[in-house]
Amino acid sequence: MAEDKLTKIVSLCRRRGFVFGGSEIYGGLSSIWDYGPLGAKLKKKIKDIWWDTYVNKREDIVGLDSSIIMHEDVFRASGHLEGFADSLVDCPTCKKRARIDKLEKIQDNLYQCPECKAKIDTLKNKPRKFNLMLKTNMSATEDKPYYGYLRPETAQGIFTNFSNVLDTTHKKIPLGIAQIGKAFRNEVTTGSFIFRMKEFEQMEIEYFVKPATADEFYHIWVSERFNFYTEKIGLRKDNLRLREHAKDELAHYAKSCTDIEYNFPFGWSELEGIANRGNFDLSEHSRVSKKDLSYFDDESKEKIIPFVIEPSAGVDRTFFAIISDAYHEEDVKGKLRVVLKLKPNMAPYALAIFPLLKNRPELVELAKNIFYDIKDKFPALYDDSGAIGKLYRRQDEIGTPFCVTVDVESLTDHKVTIRDRDSMQQERIDVTKIKSFIEERTKA
Ligand code: GAP
């Protein structure tokens, strides 16, 4: 059933233009996906809401847009060169390469291959470390290569710019630096749609605080970020939960970490992690770069290395959670209705406008005039490419909360039929009331 839902979501995303396979015409690339016209719109909404909530509306957080390719020493300092690796093992039977921590353990040193179910004896087939970072040659000549790395998290660009931001903004801590951008990991586990990609997007805040206040801010951020998903994004509360990491699963930099998990079609998995990274990153970058990255505390008149609380969210996983949460199937008079019950302000289009009869030029003209009048205020769509039932079905599947139909009577009574996506109820309203009707119902 769960697998079935995943297949249905992938298929809906494909046929409606949310998500396509990357390099599809050349056979595709594993764990690489492209966002289509509707996907690009939804993704931008997610990022805009996040940026607006934290950068535009708060005085204690500033934005940053740092580069993707970074110096090797950045990752020497951060520990990624040494420690950001998966332990991989090859199945002797089918040759499939898999992460040892994802395999089913039969007994000590004996695992089951997820592909062909053969036994893998790790004493004979020794696991090997495989660094997840993508490396690129930045030299102009092949014979003298020098390498840069595609960042595996946006966070490192924030740490390396910490002093630049302080010096130019004259802000005091607590201070957050927020960034949205691409990150890259050479993931080996495949087949979970946009949950685990090699190229993905993160929304990260590094929130710098005095060490004594770190624990308090950590808890504040855990509940702030949980509420963001229910209130701003509109995810169902019963599909979200918090999971605190045990000490032995913490990343090398973290003192504590809580995941916000979402009930994806394949089960509960991480949507976001909120970590207390202590002063690991600033200390290590100071040590390796030999630059002073301390902060002068006016109160104690001492230099300190701030602690950092990091709410780190994935744009793609938020996207996936939104579609999964919104996906509904209903039986309407013996027919299957697929509908995305998106929070109205998250929908790619707020409304769609149709003429009931496309062979009546007066109806087409009125419907187009309404569309042109409305599209500067709301994301709207005009469509006359099918019968009304087909047009409704199409809008249901992309989550458009309202459909406006112009019919023959509209020409005389200046009213249109407006249909609600979720209840399918229709009501007639005056053409002049459409904007206030939509505005009222699509507020964030
Ligand atoms: N700076 C901390 C950090 O990167 P993480 O838990 O590895 O922590 C944070 O990643 C978030 O980034 C995850 O919760 C997830 O939403 C997203 N993410 C990580 N790896 C991903 C991947 N391979 N594909 C899609 N999203 C990913």
Side-chain angles (χ1 to χ4, degrees):
M1 180 63 191
E3 194 133 312
D4 198 32
K5 183 172 176 187
L6 177 61
T7 310
K8 286 172 178 173
I9 287 175
V10 176
S11 158
L12 172 82
C13 285
R14 176 76 188 79
R15 77 174 175 275
R16 292 297 178 204
F18 283 98
V19 183
F20 305 131
S23 305
E24 212 176 72
I25 61 167
Y26 292 101
L29 275 173
S30 127
S31 303
I32 301 277
W33 297 91
D34 293 342
Y35 287 84
L38 294 187
K41 265 173 167 286
L42 177 54
K43 216 176 156 200
K44 185 160 186 317
K45 267 179 195 269
I46 296 167
K47 293 188 279 185
D48 286 350
I49 291 173
W50 186 90
W51 189 266
D52 195 49
T53 305
Y54 297 113
V55 182
N56 294 346
K57 300 241 163 77
R58 287 180 61 149
E59 286 179 41
D60 58 339
I61 303 180
V62 296
L64 184 78
D65 185 4
S66 69
S67 57
I68 285 171
I69 302 175
M70 299 187 80
H71 198 288
E72 186 171 53
D73 284 345
V74 170
F75 302 110
R76 183 158 290 117
S78 70
H80 285 90
L81 268 188
E82 187 61 34
F84 196 56
D86 282 341
S87 255
L88 304 181
V89 68
D90 292 333
C91 170
T93 312
C94 71
K95 310 293 175 214
K96 164 114 181 148
R97 183 163 290 181
R99 271 169 65 173
I100 193 100
D101 61 333
K102 298 280 174 200
L103 295 185
E104 195 174 320
K105 192 169 184 176
I106 302 166
Q107 61 191 64
D108 270 359
N109 307 316
L110 207 59
Y111 296 83
Q112 187 174 58
C113 171
E115 194 77 5
C116 71
K117 310 291 174 211
K119 287 183 182 141
I120 307 174
D121 181 343
T122 50
L123 292 177
K124 288 186 197 144
N125 301 277
K126 291 224 177 333
R128 278 170 301 165
K129 285 273 181 197
F130 175 76
N131 195 293
L132 293 181
M133 280 196 297
L134 285 122
K135 192 174 175 179
T136 189
N137 182 7
M138 298 179 67
S139 162
T141 56
E142 291 284 327
D143 51 334
K144 279 196 191 137
Y146 83 93
Y147 295 103
Y149 288 80
L150 309 193
R151 62 187 180 194
E153 56 172 7
T154 67
Q156 294 308 321
I158 299 180
F159 297 127
T160 52
N161 279 293
F162 175 66
S163 295
N164 290 339
V165 173
L166 276 188
D167 293 349
T168 52
T169 62
H170 309 287
K171 294 266 190 191
K172 301 280 171 213
I173 62 171
L175 172 68
I177 305 179
Q179 166 151 254
I180 299 177
K182 292 267 181 158
F184 300 80
R185 297 180 189 178
N186 201 357
E187 303 279 6
V188 256
T189 312
T190 56
S192 46
F193 191 37
I194 52 173
F195 181 82
R196 201 178 301 285
M197 303 157 86
K198 294 191 186 216
E199 174 180 342
F200 57 98
E201 218 164 347
Q202 290 185 316
M203 305 180 283
E204 299 201 294
I205 299 170
E206 303 303 323
Y207 197 79
F208 298 95
V209 299
K210 291 184 188 176
T213 62
D215 208 41
E216 185 190 337
F217 278 113
Y218 168 65
H219 292 292
I220 289 173
W221 274 108
V222 170
S223 49
E224 163 60 36
R225 291 299 302 149
F226 190 93
N227 295 339
F228 175 89
Y229 289 109
T230 54
E231 287 161 21
K232 303 262 172 167
I233 299 288
L235 296 184
R236 277 171 37 199
K237 212 172 182 168
D238 54 355
N239 274 334
L240 289 163
R241 70 179 188 194
L242 296 175
R243 189 182 71 81
E244 187 147 18
H245 283 211
K247 287 280 170 233
D248 63 355
E249 60 171 326
L250 288 172
H252 62 276
Y253 49 72
K255 288 194 175 307
S256 40
C257 183
T258 297
D259 283 349
I260 298 176
E261 294 191 332
Y262 180 78
N263 190 11
F264 287 99
F266 41 77
W268 290 95
S269 297
E270 177 186 342
L271 175 62
E272 162 160 356
I274 298 115
N276 174 356
R277 292 178 78 127
N279 60 10
F280 174 85
D281 301 273
L282 288 181
S283 303
E284 284 304 292
H285 284 302
S286 277
R287 184 179 66 77
V288 176
S289 68
K290 302 194 173 46
K291 302 281 182 329
D292 181 11
L293 300 181
S294 62
Y295 168 87
F296 183 73
D297 180 14
D298 285 337
E299 258 173 42
S300 65
K301 306 286 179 224
E302 279 176 358
K303 277 184 170 184
I304 58 165
I305 305 277
F307 272 32
V308 69
I309 309 304
E310 177 194 65
S312 173
V315 179
D316 312 272
R317 286 189 193 175
T318 306
F319 183 109
F320 192 177
I322 290 172
I323 301 272
S324 185
D325 224 65
Y327 185 91
H328 283 79
E329 291 183 351
E330 292 170 359
D331 182 335
V332 179
K333 293 188 193 133
K335 279 196 175 163
L336 175 72
R337 177 171 99 110
V338 174
V339 52
L340 278 191
K341 295 191 174 178
L342 296 167
K343 191 168 181 266
N345 69 313
M346 295 305 295
Y349 293 106
L351 78 164
I353 299 147
F354 325 128
L356 185 63
L357 305 164
K358 72 169 178 183
N359 56 359
R360 290 284 299 266
E362 331 84 276
L363 296 192
V364 170
E365 189 186 350
L366 179 55
K368 281 192 177 165
N369 284 343
I370 293 173
F371 166 67
Y372 288 127
D373 180 47
I374 237 155
K375 77 175 178 49
D376 286 342
K377 195 157 166 62
F378 304 104
L381 183 91
Y382 171 86
D383 197 356
D384 62 10
S385 65
I388 198 79
K390 192 171 167 191
L391 298 182
Y392 280 153
R393 244 189 340 272
R394 196 179 285 164
Q395 296 309 315
D396 285 346
E397 283 203 1
I398 66 171
T400 307
F402 301 103
C403 289
V404 165
T405 308
V406 174
D407 56 27
V408 179
E409 277 172 31
S410 309
L411 299 171
T412 48
D413 70 1
H414 305 289
K415 288 186 173 171
V416 290
T417 301
I418 198 154
R419 173 196 182 256
D420 181 282
R421 174 196 69 199
D422 297 346
S423 66
M424 291 187 288
Q425 294 292 316
Q426 303 190 358
E427 62 181 289
R428 256 182 111 67
I429 65 164
D430 205 277
V431 172
T432 56
K433 301 263 167 59
I434 301 175
K435 278 187 193 165
S436 55
F437 182 99
I438 302 292
E439 184 151 38
E440 183 59 29
R441 287 159 180 82
T442 55
K443 274 189 200 140

